[in-house]
Amino acid sequence: DAGITQSPRHKVTETGTPVTLRCHQTENHRYMYWYRQDPGHGLRLIHYSYGVKDTDKGEVSDGYSVSRSKTEDFLLTLESATSSQTSVYFCAIREWQANTGELFFGEGSRLTVL
Amino acid sequence: DQQVKQNSPSLSVQEGRISILNCDYTNSMFDYFLWYKKYPAEGPTFLISISSIKDKNEDGRFTVFLNKSAKHLSLHIVPSQPGDSAVYFCAAHGGATNKLIFGTGTLLAVQP
């Protein structure tokens, strides 16, 4: 199993509060990704990182920010959570040599915004 | 604009029969296609992939077929087993973009 852990695994919060999800890897992989999974939408890319302090937007980045100050940690922040951000969030990692694009996913973080 | 599409939200098959899951894409620059399997409350796991220069890749009970002219790929599972019941995501990788674009998923139910 890829060494990737997400925290917290479950969180309930209120609209307007800030939330930070953490992804930690022990594989020393260069690429890290945040996806959200919603019924009818599949997995959609929020942000990704291709190195320390190097990040880029995905297809649903509005309302989210990320930071990567260390190779092993990739943080996803919702500055002011909204009910539309209720979702299951998955972190994923990829070796830079993996030109197939294959990703290894974490177990997911279920976020409920009331 | 959905670049990777799975038009069947669900599929039900009998144990021992063939399951065929379909996927269509719009971007001709995709160079690899992947299938992921997801059980409830778990992260997606990689199942099988195919390069855009191939038209078939087989791994045990799983075979992926690629039809580039139709921008279509399919995953065949033979024989289907109850443990195959899961959501299957098709995904495409676009070379230099470093992104993996997923479809909406198909829920496969294999009936004993």
Side-chain angles (χ1 to χ4, degrees), chain A residues 23-108:
Chain A
C23 178
H24 178 78
Q25 62 148 330
T26 59
E27 306 296 320
N28 201 36
H29 287 342
R30 177 180 174 185
Y31 293 98
M32 298 185 76
Y33 302 78
W34 277 108
Y35 284 85
R36 60 179 288 177
Q37 184 196 3
D38 303 287
H41 293 279
L43 290 158
R44 293 181 292 174
L45 181 64
I46 305 171
H47 283 281
Y48 71 102
S49 170
Y50 46 96
V52 173
K53 293 189 178 7
D54 292 323
T55 64
D56 203 353
K57 296 179 179 180
E59 53 190 312
V60 289
S61 59
D62 288 347
Y64 302 94
S65 63
V66 290
S67 66
R68 190 162 178 209
S69 58
K70 299 184 291 185
T71 298
E72 58 266 35
D73 289 324
F74 191 31
L75 304 181
L76 177 70
T77 297
L78 292 67
E79 300 290 348
S80 178
T82 67
S83 58
S84 65
Q85 293 176 311
T86 292
S87 186
V88 181
Y89 292 86
F90 289 99
C91 177
I93 59 177
R94 175 168 82 90
E95 297 180 7
W96 72 270
Q97 306 97 320
N99 58 358
T100 63
E102 181 183 343
L103 303 182
F104 296 95
F105 283 85
E107 295 290 304

Side-chain angles (χ1 to χ4, degrees), chain A residues 9 31 33 35 37 40-43 45 48 50 56-59 90 94 99-107, chain B residues 1-2 31-34 36 38 41-46 49 87 89 93 97-105:
Chain A
R9 295 291 313 279
Y31 293 98
Y33 302 78
Y35 284 85
Q37 184 196 3
H41 293 279
L43 290 158
L45 181 64
Y48 71 102
Y50 46 96
D56 203 353
K57 296 179 179 180
E59 53 190 312
F90 289 99
R94 175 168 82 90
N99 58 358
T100 63
E102 181 183 343
L103 303 182
F104 296 95
F105 283 85
E107 295 290 304
Chain B
D1 181 27
Q2 193 81 18
D31 55 2
Y32 275 93
F33 301 90
L34 300 84
Y36 277 78
K38 185 185 180 305
E42 295 184 9
T45 55
F46 171 74
S49 66
V87 176
F89 290 102
H93 180 247
T97 68
N98 297 313
K99 301 177 185 178
L100 198 58
I101 307 299
F102 285 82
T104 52

Side-chain angles (χ1 to χ4, degrees), chain B residues 7-21:
Chain B
N7 293 318
S8 297
S10 62
L11 174 68
S12 181
V13 299
Q14 289 295 120
E15 181 178 4
R17 307 295 289 266
I18 184 171
S19 295
I20 300 177
L21 295 92

